[in-house]
């Protein structure tokens, strides 16, 4: 080994060679600042600035939490290909090289909480086919990739609490067909028409037994602090696009005054995204129409009941007036009862 000069152009070769030697000898001791117990290596709270060299290749669990690791180069974990659990919580990571997790095809749990990540590469998690739990909470992520390529068949826990997300693409969630736990709280969720597809997805998810800590709106002001799941569908209008399309649904909704508030201010830096998202609109229309129809039916029923009651009241009033005219001296209270009863019965037996 010593005979190979660490000429900078040969660094990568040297790296390859050293990991090959490690693999051959099987046991390579333990990095200086770590404690190794058979298949578990604990390097936490050591003030490390990068992933230590010379990790034993048989490592299954690697604790790197509570350090100051600020970057992960490509192939950062090449020397530990059997890794199942990787804990990078509470470090100083702001960027991850696209190939950072290359070679970790057995990884099941990845904890990246409490770092300073602000965006993630499309292909970053590609090699992690077996991933079960991905925790990205307590970062500054404002945008997640739309797609992760192939579906993550085994992912059951996905956490992005405490980030800067305004929007979450439905396609991303659909790439996790078996997710059961979703942590989404404490982001900057923008509850305009664009979040409707997330709402619909979450309703189905919960119906199928999934659990989530909720999406609390941060904007617009009308919905600040409200849970996305409790805002009625009717208050969402399709995202702005051809005005002809908007008109019918709008005219039929009694709540359209509120609905208008949900329409995005349409401007600003997210304009581009807004247009992209609006293509989802046609899928939403049937639900909207159904709601409009239900509203009409309910309104009709209520009007019918009110009309009937008014008719009863009129008849009653006339009878009463006639009786009073006939027997001017008698107390009025007695005749009051039957009339009221009649009204109630009518209300009870009317279709609800
Ligand atoms: C994060 O790590 C630092 C050491 O780098 C430690 O002092 C601090 O207590 C850790 N924070 C938490 C919440 O564990
Ligand atoms: C990772 O480290 C954090 C902080 O010490 C700890 O709470 C968590 O349980 C650890 N394990 C995993 C699998 O994330
Ligand atoms: C990741 O670590 C945090 C502590 O920093 C812990 O609360 C969380 O449960 C861990 N996530 C997973 C998936 O183990
Ligand atoms: C999911 O996990 C099972 C069992 O551990 C494994 O056989 C399968 O290959 C995994 N799926 C993917 C896509 O890796």
């Amino acid at each position: 080994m010593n005979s190979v000069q660490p000429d900078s152009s040969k660094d990568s070769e040297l790296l390859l060679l050293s990991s090959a030697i490690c693999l051959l000898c099987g046991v390579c001791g333990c990095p200086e600042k770590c404690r190794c117990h058979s298949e578990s290596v604990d390097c936490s709270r050591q003030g490390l600035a990068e992933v230590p060299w010379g990790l034993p290749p048989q490592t299954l669990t690697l604790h790197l939490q509570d350090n100051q690791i600020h970057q992960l180069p490509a192939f950062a974990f090449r020397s530990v290909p059997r890794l199942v659990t990787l804990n990078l919580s509470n470090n100083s990571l702001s960027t991850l090289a696209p190939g950072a997790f290359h070679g970790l095809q057995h990884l099941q749990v990845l904890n990246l909480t409490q770092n300073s990540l602000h965006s993630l590469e499309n292909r970053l998690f590609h090699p992690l086919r077996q991933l079960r739990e991905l925790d990205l909470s307590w970062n500054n992520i404002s945008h997640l990739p739309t797609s992760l390529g192939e579906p993550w068949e085994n992912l059951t826990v996905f956490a992005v609490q405490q980030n800067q997300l305004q929007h979450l693409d439905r396609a991303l969630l659909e790439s996790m067909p078996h997710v059961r736990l979703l942590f989404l709280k404490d982001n900057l969720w923008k509850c305009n028409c664009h979040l409707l597809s997330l709402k619909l997805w979450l309703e189905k998810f919960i119906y199928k037994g999934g659990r989530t800590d909720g999406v609390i709106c941060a904007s617009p002001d009308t919905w600040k602090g409200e849970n996305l799941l409790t805002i009625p569908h009717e208050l969402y209008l399709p995202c702005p696009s051809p005005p002809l399309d908007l008109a019918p649904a709008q005219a039929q909704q009694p709540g359209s005054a509120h609905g208008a508030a949900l329409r995005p201010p349409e401007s600003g830096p997210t304009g581009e995204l807004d247009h992209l998202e609006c293509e989802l609109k046609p899928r939403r229309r049937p639900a909207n129409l159904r709601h409009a129809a239900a509203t009409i039916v309910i309104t009709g029923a209520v009007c019918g009941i009110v009309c009937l009651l008014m008719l009863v009241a009129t008849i009653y009033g006339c009878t009463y007036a006639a009786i009073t005219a006939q027997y001017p001296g008698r107390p009025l209270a007695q005749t009051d009862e039957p009339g009221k009863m009649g009204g109630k019965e009518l209300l009870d037996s009317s279709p609800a």
Side-chain angles (χ1 to χ4, degrees):
M1 268 278 303
N2 287 345
S3 61
V4 182
Q5 283 307 305
D7 166 19
S8 65
S9 69
K10 297 211 164 160
D11 267 356
S12 56
E13 269 180 62
L14 191 66
L15 178 83
L16 249 166
L17 192 65
S18 60
S19 43
I21 289 170
C22 272
L23 273 168
L24 279 178
C25 72
V27 191
C28 272
C30 194
E32 204 188 320
K33 292 194 165 174
C34 306
R35 280 152 292 155
C36 305
H37 331 267
S38 65
E39 292 168 338
S40 168
V41 177
D42 185 356
C43 315
S44 61
R45 279 184 195 262
Q46 298 299 319
L48 296 171
E50 33 191 54
V51 178
W53 292 117
L55 292 164
Q58 73 272 23
T59 308
L60 299 184
T61 301
L62 180 55
H63 295 286
L64 286 169
Q65 67 267 32
D66 307 323
N67 281 296
Q68 274 113 46
I69 299 173
H70 55 87
Q71 62 154 341
L72 288 186
F75 300 101
F77 301 98
R78 173 163 234 163
S79 59
V80 282
R82 297 174 59 197
L83 219 51
V84 171
T85 302
L86 174 57
N87 199 340
L88 282 160
S89 171
N90 189 23
N91 274 281
S92 317
L93 294 167
S94 58
T95 54
L96 304 171
F101 300 115
H102 257 291
L104 295 182
Q105 72 260 38
H106 302 295
L107 198 69
Q108 293 181 7
V109 179
L110 176 55
N111 197 330
L112 282 164
T113 58
Q114 297 180 62
N115 277 282
S116 315
L117 299 171
H118 41 77
S119 65
L120 299 169
E121 276 276 336
N122 246 353
R123 292 160 299 147
L124 183 66
F125 301 120
H126 246 220
L128 312 179
R129 305 307 316 157
Q130 306 256 19
L131 206 58
R132 288 160 193 265
E133 301 182 12
L134 176 59
D135 200 338
L136 295 165
S137 305
W138 284 279
N139 276 286
N140 299 320
I141 302 168
S142 58
H143 180 69
L144 285 170
T146 311
S147 152
L148 294 158
E150 291 170 69
W152 260 337
E153 289 294 341
N154 285 339
L155 196 76
T156 54
V157 180
F158 181 69
V160 285
Q161 296 174 78
Q162 286 278 351
N163 276 286
Q164 316 275 321
L165 294 168
Q166 294 195 333
H167 175 81
L168 186 57
D169 204 288
R170 189 178 168 140
L172 179 68
L173 294 166
E174 276 165 1
S175 69
M176 312 170 183
H178 297 116
V179 68
R180 280 290 156 266
L181 266 178
L182 265 181
F183 296 96
L184 303 171
K185 228 171 59 182
D186 299 320
N187 276 282
L188 300 176
W189 300 116
K190 196 170 169 185
C191 295
N192 58 21
C193 61
H194 303 300
L195 231 53
L196 181 60
S197 66
L198 175 63
K199 177 180 163 70
L200 297 176
W201 189 91
L202 283 174
E203 281 171 359
K204 203 167 122 204
F205 169 74
I206 290 167
Y207 176 75
K208 289 191 297 185
R211 287 169 52 203
T212 174
D213 60 351
V215 172
I216 308 297
C217 308
S219 72
D221 283 344
T222 336
W223 301 115
K224 200 168 176 165
E226 295 273 340
N227 190 336
L228 176 70
L229 286 168
T230 63
I231 302 177
H233 287 104
E234 297 86 77
L235 300 189
Y236 286 87
L237 291 179
C239 289
S241 65
L244 271 179
D245 242 349
L246 267 170
Q250 210 172 349
Q252 288 161 0
Q253 285 177 24
S256 58
H258 293 282
L262 265 179
R263 263 183 289 175
E266 55 221 86
S267 62
T270 55
E272 200 185 304
L273 183 73
D274 287 2
H275 282 295
L276 203 87
E277 269 305 291
C278 288
E279 282 159 24
L280 286 173
K281 192 173 68 77
R283 241 197 271 167
R284 286 199 303 271
R285 287 208 63 202
N288 251 343
L289 285 179
R290 245 185 290 128
H291 281 282
T295 311
I296 290 170
V297 169
I298 291 167
T299 312
V302 170
C303 277
I305 292 167
V306 170
C307 285
L308 274 173
L309 285 178
M310 281 170 75
L311 190 67
V312 169
T314 313
I315 294 170
Y316 172 71
C318 288
T319 318
Y320 177 74
I323 291 169
T324 321
Q326 240 177 309
Y327 309 96
R330 290 184 79 173
L332 310 175
Q334 268 177 336
T335 46
D336 227 19
E337 284 313 307
K340 248 188 199 163
M341 292 284 284
K344 249 186 212 159
E345 266 163 35
L346 221 147
L347 187 67
D348 289 345
S349 60
S350 61

